[in-house]
């Protein structure tokens, strides 16, 4: 018997009404960025696709050319809920109130930042220390309003530093912010997602479920061809292991399917079937 699922922002996909064996209904969603090309042509149609998949939770924050009132009306029409919104690093650094206002407008529980501004491939400990300061300051502001800031690592944070990595420095100095684990980018950056989850079991509150085509060799630049995103369970990442462990730890607050490739409309239903089968 097939079960229903829910969605979130970048394509964040969370499981819906029945949930999967390891995930409950409120934990699965989709990152809206996954459907960015579809949104260009038909905003309402794209939201309808998400609802037809059985997904209801979204990670997003934009309105795709519509006014907030128009977009919010469509969310109500299709019974979709934005639980996490994106914020740029520069806004969190210079105007965190903007991120707070956007989260409040959508009624989101989380603010997610997916990139730390840096020159070219020049990401080092000094930039890492600056980011920790920015995230702690903005995170404190958000936390006072009941909203959690989560940083989404993109691979370059796993460069060596002292006896560990730059990410280790971030995790060990994160006082007012948490993390969103994109399993694709963690592995692409040279780290095992399951091992990282076990190392920092209390640091991850959001997840991006995204698989990487077999044979792809990662790097720590934070860049890769989006067409290497494949159906969950068909690539080289232990999606099942991460899902099960996150559930066991009780940290699977929201797990968003994010599929950035051109085959997203065909692949998401298959990924949901895979999640359905996890025991």
């Amino acid at each position: 018997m097939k079960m229903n699922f829910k969605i979130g922002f970048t394509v964040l996909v969370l499981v819906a009404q029945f949930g999967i064996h390891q995930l409950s209904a409120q934990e699965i969603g989709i990152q809206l960025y996954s459907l960015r090309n579809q949104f260009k042509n038909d905003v309402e149609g794209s939201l309808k696709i998400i609802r037809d998949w059985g997904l209801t939770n979204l990670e997003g924050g934009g309105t795709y050319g519509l006014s907030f009132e128009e977009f919010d009306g469509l969310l109500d029409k299709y019974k979709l809920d934005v639980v996490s919104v994106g914020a740029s690093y520069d806004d969190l650094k210079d105007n965190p109130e903007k991120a707070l206002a956007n989260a409040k407008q959508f009624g989101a529980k989380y603010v997610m930042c997916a990139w730390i501004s840096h020159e070219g491939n020049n990401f080092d400990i000094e930039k890492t220390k600056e980011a920790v300061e920015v995230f702690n300051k903005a995170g404190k502001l958000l936390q006072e309003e009941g909203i959690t800031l989560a940083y989404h690592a993109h691979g370059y944070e796993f460069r060596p530093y002292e006896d560990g990595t730059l990410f280790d420095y971030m995790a060990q100095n994160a006082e007012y912010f948490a993390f969103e684990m994109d399993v694709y980018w963690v592995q692409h950056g040279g780290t095992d997602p399951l091992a990282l989850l076990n190392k920092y079991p209390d640091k991850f509150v959001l997840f991006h479920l995204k698989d990487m085509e077999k044979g792809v060799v990662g790097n720590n630049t934070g860049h890769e061809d989006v067409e290497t995103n494949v159906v969950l369970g068909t690539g080289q990442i232990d999606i099942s292991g991460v899902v099960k462990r996150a559930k066991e730890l009780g940290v699977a607050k929201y797990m968003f399917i994010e599929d950035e490739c051109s085959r997203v409309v065909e692949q998401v239903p298959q990924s949901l079937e895979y999640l359905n089968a996890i025991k």
Side-chain angles (χ1 to χ4, degrees):
M1 166 177 138
K2 293 290 187 290
M3 302 181 195
N4 295 324
F5 282 79
K6 295 190 176 183
I7 294 185
F9 171 66
T10 292
V11 171
L12 299 175
V13 181
L14 301 175
V15 191
Q17 297 177 354
F18 297 105
I20 56 178
H21 182 77
Q22 292 294 328
L23 293 174
S24 63
Q26 70 271 22
E27 290 166 340
I28 296 292
I30 188 165
Q31 166 50 270
L32 293 184
Y33 185 74
S34 300
L35 293 172
R36 63 198 179 282
N37 294 320
Q38 287 71 26
F39 274 112
K40 290 178 184 177
N41 300 318
D42 186 354
V43 176
E44 180 170 0
S46 299
L47 294 175
K48 184 178 183 300
I49 287 173
I50 292 171
R51 196 61 185 87
D52 287 346
W53 284 334
L55 299 170
T56 61
N57 288 324
L58 313 175
E59 186 175 63
T63 60
Y64 300 92
L66 302 181
S67 68
F68 176 79
E69 290 72 22
E70 290 171 325
F71 190 75
D72 191 49
L74 291 176
L75 293 178
D76 286 342
K77 179 178 180 178
Y78 292 103
K79 297 180 173 57
L80 300 172
D81 185 23
V82 176
V83 298
S84 175
V85 297
S88 74
Y89 179 75
D90 292 338
D91 278 346
L92 291 173
K93 180 180 179 181
D94 301 325
N95 187 15
E97 291 80 8
K98 179 180 177 180
L100 174 60
N102 193 41
K104 283 188 168 184
Q105 186 175 44
F106 278 100
K109 304 172 185 177
Y110 300 91
V111 168
M112 178 274 290
C113 178
W115 191 266
I116 297 171
S117 300
H118 59 281
E119 296 282 338
N121 198 32
N122 183 26
F123 187 82
D124 55 18
I125 186 57
E126 295 308 315
K127 196 64 182 177
T128 302
K129 289 180 177 179
E130 176 195 271
V132 168
E133 183 177 350
V134 168
F135 292 146
N136 275 328
K137 183 178 179 181
K140 187 174 187 294
L141 173 70
L142 292 166
Q143 188 179 97
E144 290 170 350
E145 299 292 332
I147 298 167
T148 300
L149 174 62
Y151 176 61
H152 169 306
H154 235 95
Y156 47 81
E157 306 86 350
F158 298 103
R159 295 173 183 176
Y161 174 66
E162 294 186 343
D163 295 330
T165 66
L166 295 173
F167 182 87
D168 288 318
Y169 180 90
M170 296 185 73
Q172 292 161 14
N173 290 279
E175 185 176 0
Y176 292 106
F177 68 99
F179 294 88
E180 176 173 64
M181 180 189 289
D182 184 313
V183 296
Y184 177 102
W185 286 113
V186 171
Q187 184 149 325
H188 199 274
T191 297
D192 177 358
L194 183 55
L196 188 66
L197 178 57
N198 285 325
K199 185 174 185 178
Y200 297 110
D202 60 341
K203 294 294 185 180
F204 296 100
V205 295
L206 302 174
F207 292 79
H208 278 184
L209 301 180
K210 180 193 308 179
D211 212 343
M212 181 163 52
E213 183 180 5
K214 292 178 180 178
V216 171
V217 177
N219 59 62
N220 56 22
T221 68
H223 298 286
E224 185 54 85
D225 183 354
V226 296
E227 296 305 323
T228 63
N229 292 187
V230 295
V231 174
L232 297 181
T234 66
Q236 56 180 291
I237 299 175
D238 182 10
I239 302 292
S240 177
V242 172
V243 168
K244 289 180 179 179
R245 185 58 177 151
K247 183 63 177 179
E248 289 169 0
L249 292 168
V251 299
K253 303 300 183 184
Y254 290 95
M255 306 191 89
F256 301 109
I257 291 174
E258 181 178 42
D259 188 334
E260 301 181 52
C261 80
S262 60
R263 306 174 302 280
V264 57
V265 174
E266 293 75 31
Q267 290 192 170
V268 167
Q270 297 176 66
S271 291
L272 290 173
E273 286 186 17
Y274 169 78
L275 291 175
N276 249 348
I278 294 177
K279 304 298 183 184

